[in-house]
Each structure stands twice: as structure tokens, then as C-alpha cells.
Amino acid sequence: MNEAGSAVPSARTDDRWRLDGRVALVTGASAGLGARFARVLHDAGAHVIATARRADLLEELAQQCGSRIRTIAGDIADRQHRLALGPIPAFARSIRDRTLLGRTPEPDELDGPLLFLATGASSYMTGQALVIDGGWTAV
């Protein structure tokens, strides 16, 4: 994304690239790829919940994006911070309504896939997508 234009140039002309009415949670949103992803999702029309440890950088992000962004400073590794993110009814409902499991994920449910991909257990695996979405893509 550059200063002159939107990160999603085709979003204004092609509805397939729009996220209007959707809610996106972006962790690590204060800098780098997290901040970029928050801007891209916001530019595409999503309501963005941005979280990271740096409150000052989150505030800058919110000022750049304007409306439809909520920032919550904290460490995603901290259980209390995750609980503070949880009561966002539209986000949790969007996950429950769109997954076969009908619930939001627990953080530890990603541990096995992470270790599988990061260790030699997946050494013979090439060109695959490991989908861990509670059945989101099957609905």
C-alpha cells in the first residue's frame, strides 16, 4: 500500500473484494504486516478490531483508518486480554454462525497444527493448505 492510494484498488469496483458488514480481528496490528492487514481489511469495508501491545501505534492506526476500527491495547498471550476481546458479540456470532462446529476456537486448538508445520513431522508435505477453521470453508 502506498500513501497515494488504497491497499485494495479493485475493492471499489468489484464486490468480490468487499467486506462490508464483516468483522475482522487483527492481532499484532500496531506495526508491520499486522498494521498493513488491518488497513487492507478496513479499506475493503470490514469493521476491524485491532489489538497489539503498543497503544500509541494503535492510536495512529485508528486515526489513519477513521471509522469502523476499534483498538484494544494489550498482549494477546495474556488470558485477560483475550477475554477483553471475546465479548464483541458481532465477531463471536459471525464465527459461530459460519462454522460447522458452531463455536469460537480455543487458542490451544492451534498448537497441534503449529507443531506439525514447524517440526520434522511435516517434512514430506509440500504444496498443501492445512485448513483449521472449524468447518468455515465447508459451509
Side-chain angles (χ1 to χ4, degrees):
M1 174 170 59
N2 60 41
E3 297 297 321
S6 169
V8 188
S10 62
R12 291 183 180 84
T13 59
D14 189 341
D15 286 344
R16 292 177 296 177
W17 294 94
R18 296 297 305 165
L19 294 170
D20 301 293
R22 296 285 211 34
V23 179
L25 171 64
V26 181
T27 61
S30 62
L33 290 175
R36 178 180 178 81
F37 294 163
R39 286 187 197 96
V40 169
L41 293 165
H42 185 270
D43 286 349
H47 294 270
V48 176
I49 302 159
T51 185
R53 292 180 292 211
R54 299 279 314 268
D56 56 330
L57 295 178
L58 285 174
E59 181 58 32
E60 286 179 30
L61 176 67
Q63 289 175 1
Q64 292 167 3
C65 290
S67 65
R68 295 187 336 276
I69 187 165
R70 176 179 173 194
T71 60
I72 305 171
D75 187 344
I76 198 70
D78 176 31
R79 186 176 193 283
Q80 292 303 319
H81 179 65
R82 288 193 309 274
L83 290 174
L85 296 172
I88 302 165
F91 181 68
R93 186 174 45 253
S94 72
I95 292 173
R96 287 191 305 270
D97 290 349
R98 290 180 175 88
T99 61
L100 290 175
L101 295 180
R103 63 178 177 80
T104 56
E106 294 297 325
D108 66 346
E109 291 179 298
L110 300 176
D111 295 352
L114 168 68
L115 289 173
F116 173 70
L117 293 172
T119 65
S122 64
S123 64
Y124 200 67
M125 183 177 175
T126 61
Q128 299 297 315
L130 189 58
V131 180
I132 305 142
D133 65 359
W136 182 288
T137 54
V139 175

